[in-house]
Amino acid sequence: MKLLRMEKVGDGKFLKNYELTYLNKAGREKKYEMVSRRELSSPEDLGQTPSGVSIVAVCQGKMLLLHEFRMGINRNVYNLCAGMLEEGESVEDCIQRELYEETGLSVKRIRDILPASFAAVAFSDVTTYIAIVEAEGEMFDHTSENEQIDSRFYTREEVRELIQTEQFSSRAQLAAYFFALGALTEERESGDENICILPAGI
């Protein structure tokens, strides 16, 4: 495939619409629609600037999942804590801010930050980081009036059941699957028995 040209065809508040014209392997032109969060001045800009972060958080052997209403699909899904990088913000600061804003929790330790990857490769050049963190603190709601989120920690057995019975975002589903298999078992240090205060009934 050879990209011949790129044309901006729409300009929303948060998303920019582009039409890409390719020369396919049969020698014919193929038009393809995509969206970006960034203003793209040339094809070289596609996928070059990470937009945000998704956070896989664990605490005392449990995994954090957000049951949130997503306007784009008009329903609740299980999702990871996630958000957009602000201008001039480091990835580490974004992780701290988003976890606190959406759950009230703090980051005890960042285990790893994976290189930015494409979040919706079929129709967008958006790339985000995935962070694996240990969380601590007490949960409470800092979200805006336009967000509806129920944050909870779940055991491996609970996550295993949710995967079979509930709807997930794809990244949250994959992270939950590996957590249920024991891949994200928390490393607990001596004296850290109470690093996270869970809501009543959890």
Side-chain angles (χ1 to χ4, degrees):
M1 295 286 190
K2 180 181 179 181
L3 180 58
L4 301 176
R5 55 189 176 273
M6 179 178 73
E7 180 184 359
K8 186 178 181 182
V9 295
D11 195 359
K13 183 177 181 180
F14 298 108
L15 294 174
K16 320 296 181 184
N17 297 79
Y18 293 86
E19 183 179 83
L20 310 181
T21 302
Y22 285 89
L23 186 66
N24 68 18
K25 63 183 181 182
R28 292 190 289 269
E29 288 192 1
K30 165 66 177 177
K31 294 187 182 298
Y32 198 88
E33 296 179 5
M34 57 82 66
V35 297
S36 181
R37 289 189 178 273
R38 308 287 183 179
E39 191 74 37
L40 305 176
S41 59
S42 72
E44 287 71 29
D45 293 335
L46 288 165
Q48 292 302 305
T49 306
S51 298
V53 63
S54 295
I55 304 165
V56 181
V58 294
C59 177
Q60 296 182 347
K62 296 184 178 183
M63 179 183 182
L64 176 68
L65 287 172
L66 279 56
H67 194 224
E68 61 176 335
F69 183 83
R70 300 301 298 185
M71 294 183 185
I73 55 174
N74 191 36
R75 70 188 67 185
N76 288 290
V77 295
Y78 282 90
N79 205 359
L80 301 175
C81 178
M84 307 306 297
L85 279 160
E86 295 183 350
E87 189 71 29
E89 186 177 42
S90 70
V91 180
E92 291 80 5
D93 286 345
C94 181
I95 294 166
Q96 296 270 4
R97 177 180 56 77
E98 286 294 343
L99 185 64
Y100 181 74
E101 287 180 356
E102 294 193 348
T103 70
L105 297 169
S106 300
V107 175
K108 178 177 185 285
R109 181 165 74 97
I110 297 176
R111 290 190 189 175
D112 206 354
I113 300 174
L114 303 183
S117 58
F118 289 98
V121 71
F123 61 87
S124 177
D125 74 328
V126 169
T127 59
T128 59
Y129 297 98
I130 297 178
I132 297 89
V133 310
E134 295 171 17
E136 63 181 354
E138 186 172 1
M139 280 196 255
F140 53 94
D141 189 3
H142 287 282
T143 55
S144 76
E145 62 183 12
N146 295 319
E147 295 178 293
Q148 183 176 305
I149 299 175
D150 176 25
S151 304
R152 289 183 55 189
F153 280 98
Y154 295 86
T155 66
R156 288 171 59 188
E157 291 73 20
E158 289 171 329
V159 169
R160 194 175 295 118
E161 182 176 352
L162 288 175
I163 291 171
Q164 299 301 322
T165 60
E166 302 293 337
Q167 291 188 307
F168 280 72
S169 71
S170 57
R171 284 192 172 185
Q173 186 182 53
L174 189 60
Y177 175 79
F178 282 105
F179 171 78
L181 291 178
L184 299 174
T185 302
E186 188 170 4
E187 301 167 11
R188 298 177 64 180
E189 301 173 3
S190 175
D192 279 348
E193 294 300 314
N194 297 308
I195 63 171
C196 185
I197 303 170
L198 303 178
I202 301 300

